[in-house]
Amino acid sequence: MTALPLDDNSCGWYQALPAPTPARMLNGKHNADYVVLGAGFAGLAAARRLAEHQPNARILLVDAQRVAQGASGRNSGFVIDLPHKFALEHPDPAHKQKLLGLNRAAIAQLQGLVDQHGIDCQWSHAGKYQGAVGERGEAFLDHFAHLMKDLGEPYRRVEKQELAGVLGTEYYSRAIFTPGCYLMQPAALVRGMAEHLPDNVELLEQSPIRGLQREQGQWRLQGDEGSITTPRLLLGTSIFTREFGYLKNRLLPVMTFASWTRPLTDEELARYGGQLNWGLTPADHAGTTVRMTADRRLLIRNTYKHVPKYGANVDEGVRKKIRADHRNAFVARYPALAEVPFTHTWGGVYAISRNFTNFFGQLEEGVFASACDNGVGAAWGTISGTLLADLAVGADSRQLQDIRQVTGMPSLNPPEPFLGLGVKSRIRLAKWQSRSEI
């Protein structure tokens, strides 16, 4: 038995979508040439690429939930081209250039799908602000500018007055704008891609896999109402990879949380006074992410929790406290909109590793995985899922060589209870250190 996702039902991105069509679920016994577990960014990309390589193969894409209910539909809607903040510290410039190239290949791929299928997901080449509130944040900004200069990437300093004209708040002292980021509605993008899969990819939703075992050179996946036998299994299961016995004690389950408002009225929009459709990430790693969506919603994201039992670690009392913290961050930035209510507060689970290393590759005969996106799943999931399919069929490429060079084995974690105590202490310390930026 595996521990299944226990995501809340209050994700604003998902609830803003029309009700989905009825799910096709796993029933009876099936044989497939390939099975992809997890229909997020990685799984969708892997299934699509497999179908391109093997148009006559039977490919099953299986998810325990509805598409977009999991982590891929719960992020803050950034598709970032730059290496993650920690990866930017890597001493080898070639390593960072490979990451940059992989992320941009993912963006181009997503752009192509949005254009080809007319996916309505607020996709836009909006760039991204990295904002500082005070001296601590500004020190991080100065360091970020230094890293951008070393990387040879364009950036622009945005001072307080200009920034306030964009954000509709004078809360931030300054920011750095980088042009390569795209913004989108994540649940709409993920669902849209699932609705336009190749003909030989069969999507099975609400079909949790409870067991995995090797039988006569094949893998048997056992569900509640059926089973699948396949010679090749691709795992796009992120943190849940460990539930199948792989990368155990190497992945850390962390949940981050967001709240958003209803769409602002015309009068509220006038009081707000800023622009639509922008995204700001914090200069300080533990600070607050803010979005203004294309459809007039303000989103606040902060608060991190170690969740060894996934969604079971978060009850309504915890969510209520997080919502209050988000409220404080919102009112601090937008006091003139203090009466505008939040309509949704939600969390999403993702995997990080102690050495901030992504896993990509073959786990054992017939089993391949991309796991541990370290919090930057949209671009990384897309390109890693695509290249995992290449690896599974034996199709070599420069990009495949690059991703194998920039990935590795996540570090082993200390045993419990030391792991839980250490992670919780580190999160509390980061929150205290970053309190002026939250």
Side-chain angles (χ1 to χ4, degrees):
M1 297 291 289
T2 57
L4 298 173
L6 287 169
D7 289 312
D8 56 60
N9 293 317
S10 60
C11 175
W13 299 116
Y14 190 85
Q15 295 300 323
L17 299 179
T21 58
R24 180 188 172 192
M25 293 179 281
L26 174 60
N27 285 285
K29 293 184 178 181
H30 296 262
N31 291 288
D33 297 296
Y34 297 90
V35 172
V36 180
L37 279 188
F41 284 109
L44 287 163
R48 183 177 299 278
R49 186 65 151 228
L50 286 173
E52 292 172 358
H53 285 304
Q54 305 283 347
N56 296 317
R58 187 185 188 199
I59 301 162
L60 296 184
L61 174 59
V62 186
D63 200 284
Q65 305 179 100
R66 298 305 307 265
V67 166
Q69 282 187 329
S72 288
R74 291 171 175 267
N75 63 66
S76 294
F78 294 84
V79 190
I80 300 173
D81 61 334
L82 297 171
H84 189 265
K85 292 175 181 177
F86 298 105
L88 278 174
E89 305 284 350
H90 198 282
D92 181 7
H95 180 96
K96 291 185 279 192
Q97 288 294 338
K98 288 182 174 68
L99 289 171
L100 189 64
L102 291 167
N103 288 340
R104 286 180 173 161
I107 289 172
Q109 183 174 325
L110 292 171
Q111 175 82 68
L113 291 171
V114 169
D115 291 344
Q116 178 184 355
H117 300 295
I119 299 173
D120 183 10
C121 62
Q122 302 178 29
W123 179 266
S124 65
H125 188 184
K128 179 176 73 70
Y129 294 89
Q130 189 158 313
V133 176
E135 291 183 3
R136 177 179 170 86
E138 289 187 7
F140 278 107
L141 278 189
D142 291 339
H143 182 57
F144 179 66
H146 173 74
L147 293 172
M148 288 294 94
K149 186 176 180 180
D150 284 351
L151 193 60
E153 285 298 306
Y155 68 93
R156 184 171 65 86
R157 295 180 186 271
V158 184
E159 299 302 330
K160 185 180 182 73
Q161 185 175 359
E162 179 187 355
L163 188 62
V166 175
L167 307 184
T169 176
E170 296 186 352
Y171 190 76
Y172 293 91
S173 58
R174 61 185 176 90
I176 286 178
F177 178 80
T178 49
C181 176
Y182 284 66
L183 300 178
M184 46 79 179
Q185 208 278 36
L189 176 57
V190 173
R191 183 186 286 182
M193 291 191 294
E195 290 173 345
H196 296 92
L197 287 166
D199 291 341
N200 61 323
V201 177
E202 302 171 51
L203 175 63
L204 303 176
E205 301 174 89
Q206 294 180 322
S207 300
I209 299 301
R210 305 278 187 175
L212 174 65
Q213 54 186 308
R214 185 83 167 163
E215 294 179 351
Q216 299 178 343
Q218 301 273 310
W219 288 100
R220 184 171 180 272
L221 291 75
Q222 184 61 52
D224 292 334
E225 303 292 338
S227 64
I228 310 170
T229 300
T230 183
R232 288 170 291 270
L233 172 63
L234 283 69
L235 298 175
T237 44
S238 185
I239 186 61
F240 297 98
T241 305
R242 64 183 195 165
E243 298 300 325
F244 297 99
Y246 300 111
L247 304 176
K248 291 183 73 68
N249 303 318
R250 293 184 183 274
L251 306 180
L252 289 168
V254 174
M255 185 177 279
T256 186
F257 299 85
S259 296
W260 76 0
T261 67
R262 56 162 169 72
L264 300 185
T265 65
D266 289 346
E267 188 274 331
E268 290 162 350
L269 196 65
R271 269 190 280 148
Y272 156 69
Q275 299 177 9
L276 295 179
N277 195 39
W278 52 261
L280 179 143
T281 58
D284 190 332
H285 300 170
T288 297
T289 294
V290 186
R291 281 278 318 270
M292 168 56 90
T293 66
D295 60 351
R296 301 183 172 194
R297 301 174 189 267
L298 281 162
L299 178 150
I300 297 287
R301 187 192 75 181
N302 60 40
T303 310
Y304 297 84
K305 287 192 175 295
H306 178 225
V307 286
K309 296 180 181 179
Y310 314 123
N313 288 104
V314 180
D315 57 24
E316 190 53 39
V318 171
R319 191 174 292 107
K320 184 177 180 180
K321 182 181 183 303
I322 290 168
R323 190 184 185 95
D325 290 342
H326 289 170
R327 195 77 211 162
N328 291 335
F330 175 77
V331 173
R333 288 161 174 79
Y334 298 103
L337 300 174
E339 81 287 357
V340 178
F342 287 148
T343 58
H344 300 84
T345 297
W346 67 93
V349 184
Y350 63 96
I352 65 172
S353 59
R354 292 175 60 237
N355 59 350
F356 299 103
T357 295
N358 311 91
F359 179 84
F360 173 92
Q362 186 166 355
L363 291 163
E364 61 175 298
E365 184 179 354
V367 182
F368 305 83
S370 170
C372 197
D373 58 35
N374 285 300
V376 285
W380 185 258
T382 297
I383 194 62
S384 65
T386 298
L387 296 175
L388 195 68
D390 288 355
L391 180 65
V393 302
D396 198 11
S397 68
R398 177 61 182 271
Q399 288 181 345
L400 182 57
Q401 295 171 26
D402 285 350
I403 200 169
R404 297 181 83 170
Q405 289 171 11
V406 300
T407 53
M409 182 59 72
S411 297
L412 277 170
N413 299 324
E416 293 288 5
F418 304 105
L419 174 63
L421 291 172
V423 174
K424 290 176 184 177
S425 297
R426 182 68 187 89
I427 290 174
R428 283 196 296 267
L429 176 62
K431 183 177 180 180
W432 182 83
Q433 291 175 328
S434 305
R435 62 194 183 279
S436 63
E437 295 288 317
I438 293 175

